[in-house]
Amino acid sequence: MKIGVFRGYSRALKNKYEEGKTTEYSYRGIFESFLKFLFSNKEEYQIKAIKVTQEPGKETFGAPDFKIFTSKGIIGYIETKHPDMDLHKLPKRDKHQIKRYSERLDNFILTNYRDFILYQNGEKVEEVLLIDENFNLIESNIERFQRLIDRFLSFTIPKIQEPELLAKILAQRTMILKDIVLENIDMDEQLQYLHKAFKEHLMSGMTKTEFADAYAQTVVYGLFMARFTIKGELTRENVAFRGIPKSLRVVHEIFRYIASDLPDYLEWIVEELIGILNNVDIEELRKRFHFGNGEFDPFLHFYETFLAEYNPKLRKSKGVYYTPIPVVEFIVNSVDEILKEKFGKRLHDEGITILDPATGTGTFLAGVLDRIHRNIRGTLFQLYLKERLLNNIYGFEILISPYLVAHLKLSMVLNQWGIKLNDNERFKIYLTNALDLMRERGQAGLFEMALDRESEEADRVKKDAKIFVVIGNPPYDVKPSEGWIAELMEDYLHGLGVENEKKKGALQDDYVKFIRFAQWKIDQNGKGIIGFITNNSYLDGLVHRRMRQSLMESFDEIYILNLHGNAIKGDNDENVFDIKQGVAIAFFVKLREGKHRAEECRVYYHSIVNDSKKTTREEKYEFLRNNSWKTIEWKVLTPKEPYYFFVPKDLSLEEEYSKFPKLDEIFEVYSSGVETQNDAATIAFTREELKQRIKDFLKLSTEEIRHKYGFKDKSVWNLNDATKVLNSDFSRYGDFERWFTEKAKLYLYRPFDYRWVFYLPRKFIGRARYPVMKHFILGTNLGLVISKLSTYLGDFSIFAIVTDKPADKHTLLAGKTVVNKSITVVFPLYIYSDDGKTKRPNLKPEFLEELRKRYGEITPEDFLYYAYAVLHDPKYRKRYAEFLKFDFPRIPLYNKETFEKYKKIGEELVKLHLMKVDFPIEPKLVGDNLAIEKVKYDGKDCVAINKTTKLCGIPPEVWEYTIGGYRVIEKYLKGRKGRKLSLEELEHVYKVVEILKRTIELVKELEKIEPKFA
């Protein structure tokens, strides 16, 4: 190209700039002319058009400024900025915009008309400064610039044959489309109309962000569906009128809008998506999307890949998890077996209606079709399909993209068997929230009428349709129940004392609501089967006891196949899903109408885990492949009131244990420990550290505090609010020392780990538990600290500690050796008057009277010593292990002689654990660097705290000593990682070593006691 063109371009830019008051758009005409000159000499690239996609004055996020076409379609995009803008120091908004373009468009140039940066496949690949800041042409860079343009023009996307590649490319464009919708919705009447319609007719609380997400995925998956149904190339028009079946009314109406005159900010990305899908090797993709190739579901795999790229958080929040084919086939085949064995029916028989209330991508319903197809082959299957299956198979799905995938999948499954649905035929999979009913209808346009009709038909199924089989994998998502499902959930929330439980959040998990909904549908039918795989916490969760009783009242037989896999509990096995929560398959079988006594229900159980070794995911799949409901050796359970556990429990000692008084029956006042909601800000290792931090909070800005301490705002703890609270409280004192001394408290943070807390309730301390903790502040006191729901894996770890100070919620927090993450509950021994002048025992008067009848004039301290010893007795923890898993411990009241033995040892234990003892302390150090970098025990005598220093003289039994799931010494040291141990802390460690040595000796003495009742 002649150099004169470049010089002319440089002069034109300079002249325009010198006119003054220019914007980015002022230079567009000059640049467009320059591009035409450039491309006119590039005939080999067959440049078809250069299109300006954004008009001057429109500052909204949408299309890049220029779109470059070849004869084969879109080749790339160019985004322009003002010549004064430094492309390496973009303002925040522009930086975010360019990040989106460069990461999600395959071929993209950013320029300020002088400097040019080329991005390809998300990477910066070329940069050339063509014109300097004084608008002087840099002639030596012309050749490099031409190479950049050649590289831009020669870029081609290869024919897409791999579903994984297509999923990732579509996900990147979906992110752009979502952002465009979100940023333009307030000025686009059509988008506002669609959002309003979705809110009023589908999901009442749908935010703009949720709408933008639903819209973007609808467009992308609608186009994806059309690519499989339309012969030849896609266009916006043929997608709308031939690519989307008219029977999918909601999606069809959205694509009528797509076919109309779209604004530029939407049109470009829709055309980009169509171009990508037209570049797909559709025949190769059809081969890849073949359902029934072993245990691979290509549709679900495609959607999983898409979500992982597009929005992994959405997957987690909505509980969207891949259901492995062995699980699906096991459940489907088992349901068919139960139908045949118990009801004399099969999945395809008249009257067998099937519902998947959380359809997802349709994997379970595809499995149902496959099972039926294997039962009845040939043309007979097509007759059954048209006469029964299309009318008898139902599904609900709230997310629009898996809804579309499910319809596409089932239609392609039929295509594999030579069956094609007519345009007015569809599976009765509805876009709806299974747990909600439609709102009142108002005036409706075409789109609203389509939504209304979809919702009306779904509601008819929810309320009136007789359903024989409910099958599937419900989502996991804890949120409050609302509306219609909230009424059904009342059955699980009232009874057996569940209504009195303070923490019932586990009953608000969506999977529980789906079980309740399924139970209601089967009750409504009078007989039938539920086949679900769900979170397994309901099998033995304490708050689930009424749920279990209710299920036993509805169903005649219940089969639980426990797949375990709870990483939170520390299960020694792998999960069948990529989640931490354990799961179970359940079959609930109703043989007769109406309700009956829970005890009439027969409950069967089987564990898939081999306790002797780790059970892998593949071993679990193999079990499911080789077994079904009929071949499993089920163990009979006899769930009893009040807990009705769905897992084996050795409750043979229940009658004995239940006679003992429980801690919450002994003490009047108690609560969980303090929850600061931001330990890093409110708790310090020393009083001086805490004092300096509070001084900073009073005098520094929140930004300065964040910089100094590295704090980050949390939803439950806002730094701005905290500083306001501190300043407001301080203003009533004036004297800092007096104020600080009154609020700063020594605090039991972890076992033998005391720290300083600034104890100021209301916003600075999230949950101060003052009504209980004040009894440790107003005067001298003792208290039991207990870990409720202390389920252990067999080592019977200590789950109690004693305190004379306020205690943290996680003083005793389940670690790897403990199954449930439990909270700390604090029972003070005395209750103080508000002025701190008087106190009284916190033992209930009737209980204190019973103690004195048995043991004479004993003090509250005597009972605490006794109870503390009992809780440390290995015999007690082992004998009553099952009962200690699900409630506060009960304290056996032995005879007076035994009481005295326990009391004596308990008193010493209390003094030891309050550290009110003196031992000769001799730290044994190897090295002199006390900075804690990495804590590692050698298994013999020493723990390394960094590369050069070890703390020795710590025997293995002391190192392994566990309280509340923590190795005591290890927890103390790891809690100070990144700090240098002070001499006081070093001496503290060795004092704890001596305390634990003596504790171990006393526990052995406890084990020798032969307790006797009066």
Side-chain angles (χ1 to χ4, degrees), residues 548-566:
R548 292 188 291 269
Q549 182 191 41
S550 176
L551 289 166
M552 291 176 68
E553 290 169 348
S554 285
F555 295 95
D556 297 278
E557 297 176 1
I558 295 174
Y559 298 86
I560 303 294
L561 179 61
N562 198 346
L563 302 180
H564 298 280
N566 194 324

Side-chain angles (χ1 to χ4, degrees), residues 206-235:
M206 179 178 270
T207 64
K208 290 178 182 178
T209 301
E210 289 171 330
F211 168 73
D213 173 69
Y215 181 88
Q217 290 201 57
T218 302
V219 171
V220 171
Y221 275 92
L223 292 170
F224 177 67
M225 173 183 276
R227 190 67 187 92
F228 283 94
T229 56
I230 290 178
K231 291 183 179 179
E233 290 200 344
L234 298 182
T235 66

Side-chain angles (χ1 to χ4, degrees), residues 685-686 689 930-933 975-981 985:
F685 289 96
T686 69
E689 281 181 27
L930 293 180
I932 299 183
E933 297 170 1
R976 286 154 177 77
K977 189 174 179 180
R979 293 173 59 86
K980 183 178 180 180
L981 282 180
E985 287 172 322

Side-chain angles (χ1 to χ4, degrees), residues 701-712:
S701 70
T702 53
E703 286 306 315
E704 288 171 325
I705 293 169
R706 283 192 188 94
H707 179 73
K708 181 171 181 178
Y709 292 102
F711 298 153
K712 294 180 180 178

